[in-house]
């Protein structure tokens, strides 16, 4: 064991929550070192921005906060202190102005995460924040020092305060593997089991359907389950379905966990009501094949027609034998049985985590004074659309401010 290195504040985790905590701390005059098990910072952040970095959302704050469901009140203070507007101003100050997309989502004009991350790390470096990579946190020693496994062996770090921002357990190869759960549970911290959020689901597709339609999107559809529905796009995968289903993943996940399955309804032409569909389907198809008739008459894609055939064949019914009324009803309520949740390692985010009853208003662990937590380590989840990153940034800023206040005492 090497000699401990004295440091004022340790931030563990170099994702958005940890880096924002480091920024708040350095701005307040603290000496900060950010530790991360990976060789570089923000790996999951960069992955999130690969298809366009959705920073936040432009809807009014009261509606925005409702997206966090049961924990809205527990996140309201931090998000109100670091609002979506403040996040956009922060990005612009880093030379990365933003724009609002047609769906209300907010993106950097560069559309990618890498320019923003580079500018952010440069500013943190200029403010005196130090980084220690390939440092995997494993807990505390008997003297309360932080223990890290490093390429040079175990290292003990003495600090006056620490901010833990280790993420959940999705995409573990990028650094968030949930290993912190056992460490904190051993200290008596109550933690809800980590579960996949904004995840795909498994479906027992036939081999024919999988081979032909894997990777193809169902565009312009409406997805519904119980009282919940969303207009979106869904992607057929070999194992099941992903994409727009993420918006319903929390209610679907709980149903699958409780009952072993859940029936998702897919409306293939949600812009046409039953009467309009029936009228169009009652027209003569002449010498056209039934698939061509559906494609030309109501503009169904091959994958949408394949989905109809998948469902009717499983029930021993010929699609072409259905009456226009029954077919119209099926087209806008195709039942797809979800028989499992995709693995947490492939989920966009994580549900579960440290109970809010375990932290005070500044996100300090009540059982471990001077230790703060932020981001996906806490027990919250939200849909995609900018809500995930916004809460990570906001709780990181709040935890950093909380640590500053702790130091001042």
């Amino acid at each position: 064991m090497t000699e401990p290195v004295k440091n004022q504040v340790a931030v563990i985790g170099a994702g958005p929550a940890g880096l924002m905590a480091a920024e708040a701390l350095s701005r307040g005059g603290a000496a900060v070192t950010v530790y991360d098990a990976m060789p570089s910072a923000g790996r999951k952040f960069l992955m999130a921005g690969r298809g366009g970095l959705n920073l936040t959302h432009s809807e009014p704050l009261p509606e925005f906060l409702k997206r966090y469901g049961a924990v809205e009140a527990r996140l309201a203070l931090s998000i109100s202190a670091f609002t979506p507007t403040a996040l956009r101003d922060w990005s612009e100050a880093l030379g990365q102005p933003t724009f609002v997309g047609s769906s209300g989502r907010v993106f950097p004009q560069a559309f990618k995460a890498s320019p923003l991350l580079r500018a952010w790390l440069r500013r943190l470096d200029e403010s005196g924040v130090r980084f220690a990579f390939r440092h995997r946190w494993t807990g505390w020693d008997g003297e309360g020092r932080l223990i890290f496994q490093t390429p040079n062996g175990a290292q003990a770090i003495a600090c006056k305060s620490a901010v833990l921002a280790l993420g959940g357990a999705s995409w573990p190869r990028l650094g968030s593997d949930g290993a912190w759960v056992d460490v904190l549970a051993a200290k008596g911290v109550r933690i809800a089991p980590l579960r996949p959020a904004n995840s795909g689901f498994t479906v027992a597709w036939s081999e024919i359907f999988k081979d032909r339609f894997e990777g193809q999107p169902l565009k312009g559809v409406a997805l519904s389950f119980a009282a919940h529905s969303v207009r979106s796009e869904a992607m057929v995968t070999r194992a099941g379905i992903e994409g727009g289903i993420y918006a319903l993943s929390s209610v679907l996940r709980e149903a699958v966990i409780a009952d072993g399955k859940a029936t998702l309804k897919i409306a293939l032409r949600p812009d046409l009501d039953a009467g309009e569909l029936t009228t169009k389907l009652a027209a003569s198809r002449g010498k056209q094949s039934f698939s061509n008739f559906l494609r030309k008459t109501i503009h169904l894609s091959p994958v949408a027609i394949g989905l109809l055939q998948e469902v009717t064949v499983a029930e021993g019914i010929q699609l072409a034998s259905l009456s226009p009324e029954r077919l119209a009803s099926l087209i806008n309520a195709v039942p797809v049985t979800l028989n499992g949740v995709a693995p947490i390692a492939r989920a966009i985010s994580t549900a579960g985590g440290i109970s809010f009853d375990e932290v005070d208003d500044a996100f300090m662990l009540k059982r471990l004074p001077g230790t703060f937590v932020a981001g996906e380590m806490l027990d919250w989840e939200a849909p995609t659309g900018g809500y995930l990153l916004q809460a990570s940034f906001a709780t990181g800023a709040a935890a950093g401010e909380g640590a500053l206040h702790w130091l001042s005492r």
Side-chain angles (χ1 to χ4, degrees):
M1 182 80 66
T2 60
E3 286 297 311
V5 176
K6 290 184 178 181
N7 186 57
Q8 195 169 8
V9 185
V11 174
I12 306 175
L19 295 179
M20 190 57 75
E23 181 165 322
L25 283 159
S26 65
R27 188 170 57 241
V32 186
T33 300
V34 178
Y35 299 88
D36 198 279
M38 303 304 287
S40 59
R43 293 203 162 196
K44 188 177 177 184
F45 183 62
L46 291 172
M47 172 68 81
R50 194 169 60 175
L53 181 66
N54 183 192
L55 274 176
T56 186
H57 202 284
S58 62
E59 67 185 349
L61 190 59
E63 285 70 34
F64 188 102
L65 290 171
K66 290 176 183 176
R67 303 292 185 174
Y68 299 98
V71 298
E72 174 187 347
R74 306 307 296 264
L75 290 172
L77 188 63
S78 59
I79 294 176
S80 296
F82 191 72
T83 63
T85 299
L87 178 52
R88 296 185 68 184
D89 291 343
W90 170 86
S91 180
E92 183 156 3
L94 284 170
Q96 299 298 315
T98 60
F99 71 95
V100 179
S102 58
S103 63
R105 300 182 180 201
V106 175
F107 302 88
Q109 286 185 4
F111 210 58
K112 297 184 294 184
S114 51
L116 178 61
L117 181 62
R118 283 196 300 269
W120 193 7
L121 293 175
R122 185 163 54 248
R123 187 165 75 182
L124 289 172
D125 180 65
E126 291 169 355
S127 70
V129 174
R130 297 176 59 246
F131 288 86
F133 296 114
R134 294 186 174 87
H135 278 60
R136 180 175 296 277
W137 179 66
T138 59
W140 295 269
D141 67 9
E143 298 179 26
R145 298 174 299 185
L146 299 165
I147 302 299
F148 294 90
Q149 293 299 324
T150 78
N152 297 319
Q155 186 176 18
I157 304 293
C159 63
K160 294 181 178 179
S161 182
V163 177
L164 307 181
L166 291 150
S170 62
W171 292 98
R173 66 184 179 84
L174 300 178
S176 299
D177 59 9
W180 56 265
V181 170
D182 291 339
V183 178
L184 294 183
K187 296 289 187 179
V189 177
R190 285 181 293 122
I191 303 167
L194 300 183
R195 307 181 304 283
N198 293 293
S199 63
F201 290 81
T202 58
V203 180
W205 302 126
S206 68
E207 291 298 322
I208 293 174
F209 186 78
K210 286 189 287 191
D211 289 344
R212 185 170 180 187
F213 298 112
E214 176 188 4
Q216 295 196 27
L218 288 160
K219 295 185 176 182
V221 299
L223 309 172
S224 62
F225 176 74
H228 308 275
S229 64
V230 61
R231 290 284 295 264
S232 191
E233 179 178 305
M235 179 68 70
V236 173
T237 68
R238 194 159 191 86
I241 189 167
E242 294 184 358
I245 199 171
Y246 298 157
L248 303 176
S249 67
S250 61
V251 291
L252 287 168
R253 179 191 66 229
E254 298 309 310
V256 170
I257 290 173
D259 303 325
K261 62 181 180 179
T263 301
L264 175 73
K265 296 289 182 69
I266 302 179
L268 299 173
R269 286 304 311 272
D271 50 327
L272 295 177
D273 62 28
E276 291 175 294
L277 272 174
T278 301
T279 299
K280 289 178 179 291
L281 293 168
S284 171
R285 62 184 173 98
K287 295 182 179 180
Q288 297 180 88
S289 69
F290 196 61
S291 291
N292 276 339
F293 172 68
L294 293 176
R295 180 174 58 82
K296 292 180 178 180
T297 304
I298 58 171
H299 308 294
L300 289 186
S301 65
V303 65
I305 297 169
L307 182 63
L308 289 170
Q309 292 171 332
E310 178 81 353
V311 170
T312 51
V313 166
E315 295 179 357
I317 301 170
Q318 284 192 341
L319 185 61
S321 70
L322 295 178
S323 68
E325 292 81 8
R326 284 190 65 192
L327 183 55
S329 177
L330 176 63
I331 285 169
N332 273 346
V334 184
V336 176
T337 300
L338 312 179
N339 59 17
V341 185
I344 194 170
R346 287 190 54 81
I348 289 177
S349 57
T350 304
I354 297 167
S355 167
F356 277 93
D357 292 338
E358 292 286 333
V359 299
D360 64 14
D361 289 342
F363 298 106
M364 184 175 75
L365 287 167
K366 296 174 183 177
R367 299 173 190 269
L368 299 167
T371 299
F372 297 77
V373 293
E376 282 192 69
M377 291 181 72
L378 292 157
D379 185 10
W380 62 274
E381 62 178 309
T384 56
Y387 310 103
L388 295 168
L389 277 176
Q390 178 69 51
S392 294
F393 280 117
T395 56
E401 295 289 346
L404 275 175
H405 179 68
W406 171 262
L407 291 172
S408 72
R409 295 197 309 176

